[in-house]
Amino acid sequence: MRILFNIGHPAQVHFFKNAMKILENKGHVCKMTAVSKEVSLVLLDAYGIKYDVVGSAKPSFFSKGTELLKIERKLYKIARSFKPDILVGGVGNAYIAHLGKMIRKPSIVFDDTEHAKIEHMLMDPFATVICTPSSFTNDLGKKQVRYNGYHELAYLHPNYFRPNPAVLKDLGLKEGDPFIILRFVSWDADHDFGHHGIENKIKLANELEKYGKVFITSEIGLVPELEKYKLKIAPEKLHDLLYYATLCIGEGATVAVESALLGTPAIYISSLIGTMGNFIELEEKYGLILNYNDSTKALDKAVELLQNPGLKENWKRKRDKLLEDKIDVTAFIVWFVENYPNSFKMIKEDKDIQYKLKI
């Protein structure tokens, strides 16, 4: 098969990297295209993935609209040359869905963001298949396929991820040293419009510093008072650091889930709580994420957790329970894409096929 991938966010580099490699090793021809956003191109380079840039992320609704047309024009030219059999994209990937209609090829998109109404409006009517986690709360109709996992398990499942302690040495740390990671986001995505996260970032960092070193990873520039906390490591090393962290607290959804799946306590601060099924399940069923829309209450909880000497061991046990329940998401991606359209028919007829196949 000839498979065209498109990524629009750095997290999608991680999401597809293992599946793409496995598919290529099985003899399929894969091509990666990318919308430049934050560190997406840096990650692709770090993983040695060849790619074509088809556009860049834009801040305003108008600029996003004009850029969408430019991206789709470039994708169409690439598709005419590459001649893909199937198209694959990540969250909110209207580009791939539209391209599929234009060249009359199936498009498979993987989405886990219920509140992204504009993206779903642009994407869903045109996508051939929309794969979502089983915790996804919205019913997307006949096109929807549910798998028992989370996007982040595609790259953080133990089958693919092994933490490298060398990152600690880069920061002057050793295993067991207490440290906290703070995550700030830009809030410029379409689905973030009108929402907010941490209210007093300076106070949060200063208070948490009493319990260990504080490192900030941010999509936006930091004010002078926070600059001393700025995390200075290569972006592909972030998951290693999250694994060893004592606590992760912030307003970034992806990083919060990543922390939880690595066995690190995660506190998510956002007005979006209650809108995403994966966060509801990770809190209510597994106790791995604590969700707050009040920064003061979140800080109080963080201090409480940091005073618990058995914190990490407790979270590791809860993470292990989750891994017993969930599938290998990369294996699911490979199986579904490689066997499409039969895979779609099989899972529609028997949703438990993902377990029977030992994915």
Side-chain angles (χ1 to χ4, degrees):
M1 295 174 64
R2 299 179 69 80
I3 308 165
L4 177 64
F5 289 86
N6 178 257
I7 63 156
H9 188 279
Q12 293 167 25
V13 178
H14 299 301
F15 183 66
F16 287 124
K17 66 179 180 181
N18 295 315
M20 184 173 172
K21 181 178 180 180
I22 293 170
L23 286 164
E24 288 181 330
N25 289 341
K26 297 179 79 170
H28 303 291
V29 180
C30 298
K31 186 172 187 62
M32 177 67 76
T33 59
V35 177
S36 177
K37 178 177 170 59
E38 300 156 29
V39 297
S40 55
L41 304 187
V42 174
L43 289 171
L44 287 166
D45 290 335
Y47 295 129
I49 300 173
K50 295 181 180 180
Y51 58 92
D52 289 347
V53 179
V54 293
S56 60
K58 300 296 181 182
S60 70
F61 284 114
F62 178 77
S63 60
K64 288 176 189 291
T66 56
E67 187 69 5
L68 180 143
L69 297 176
K70 293 178 183 178
I71 291 170
E72 292 185 359
R73 189 181 303 120
K74 289 183 180 180
L75 281 172
Y76 181 72
K77 290 180 180 179
I78 290 170
R80 288 189 66 183
S81 173
F82 180 65
K83 301 185 186 310
D85 298 304
I86 197 165
L87 314 172
V88 183
V91 173
N93 205 310
Y95 321 116
I96 282 292
H98 295 172
L99 178 63
K101 286 294 185 183
M102 285 190 280
I103 65 173
R104 298 182 180 180
K105 295 295 181 180
S107 59
I108 301 172
V109 293
F110 292 81
D111 202 289
D112 66 350
T113 310
E114 292 95 330
H115 63 279
K117 295 180 180 179
I118 295 176
E119 287 95 332
H120 280 289
M121 180 180 67
L122 292 172
M123 178 185 76
D124 294 2
F126 304 96
T128 310
V129 182
I130 307 169
C131 298
T132 70
S134 54
S135 59
F136 194 86
T137 57
N138 292 352
D139 182 352
L140 302 180
K142 295 180 180 179
K143 296 179 179 182
Q144 186 176 16
V145 165
R146 296 179 182 271
Y147 62 88
N148 189 25
Y150 307 107
H151 277 200
E152 293 78 8
L153 275 179
Y155 49 96
L156 297 180
H157 192 284
N159 289 347
Y160 310 98
F161 178 77
R162 294 288 186 277
N164 186 349
V167 70
L168 298 175
K169 188 176 181 181
D170 294 344
L171 296 171
L173 299 167
K174 61 181 183 296
E175 286 193 49
D177 285 349
F179 67 94
I180 301 101
I181 296 178
L182 303 186
R183 172 62 171 172
F184 304 151
V185 298
S186 61
W187 297 98
D188 64 358
D190 293 340
H191 53 261
D192 289 335
F193 182 76
H195 290 282
H196 64 271
I198 299 169
E199 295 169 357
N200 192 329
K201 295 179 173 65
I202 296 173
K203 178 182 178 181
L204 182 67
N206 290 341
E207 287 297 315
L208 292 176
E209 193 176 22
K210 299 173 183 178
Y211 301 91
K213 283 191 174 182
V214 171
F215 299 99
I216 296 176
T217 169
S218 178
E219 294 178 349
I220 55 176
L222 299 175
V223 297
E225 295 91 334
L226 294 175
E227 190 64 33
K228 65 178 180 178
Y229 300 115
K230 185 176 180 179
L231 180 61
K232 298 176 181 179
I233 59 169
E236 68 271 17
K237 296 182 179 181
L238 178 60
H239 298 137
D240 298 309
L241 193 65
L242 285 173
Y243 177 87
Y244 292 105
T246 310
L247 176 72
C248 177
I249 180 169
E251 54 196 12
T254 298
V255 172
V257 175
E258 289 172 340
S259 299
L261 298 184
L262 290 169
T264 294
I267 294 179
Y268 178 57
I269 306 172
S270 172
S271 59
L272 286 166
I273 64 169
T275 65
M276 296 175 285
N278 53 350
F279 279 80
I280 294 170
E281 183 175 87
L282 284 166
E283 180 172 43
E284 296 182 358
K285 184 174 182 179
Y286 297 105
L288 286 165
I289 287 182
L290 303 174
N291 298 302
Y292 290 91
N293 58 16
D294 184 305
S295 296
T296 300
K297 291 181 179 179
L299 175 57
D300 290 343
K301 188 62 179 181
V303 170
E304 177 189 328
L305 292 177
L306 290 167
Q307 293 175 325
N308 179 358
L311 180 64
K312 287 284 285 190
E313 291 75 12
N314 182 30
W315 244 255
K316 295 288 187 187
R317 287 192 294 270
K318 292 190 284 189
R319 189 276 307 264
D320 291 343
K321 173 61 172 63
L322 178 146
L323 291 175
E324 292 176 2
D325 293 345
K326 300 299 180 181
I327 65 169
D328 178 335
V329 175
T330 284
F332 175 81
I333 297 170
V334 171
W335 170 78
F336 192 84
V337 171
E338 186 176 38
N339 293 284
Y340 185 83
N342 289 334
S343 54
F344 180 78
K345 296 176 183 176
M346 291 170 68
I347 202 166
K348 281 295 186 179
E349 292 171 358
D350 182 4
K351 66 179 181 179
D352 292 331
I353 190 71
Q354 58 190 296
Y355 310 111
K356 295 175 182 176
L357 292 171
K358 299 187 183 302
I359 292 174

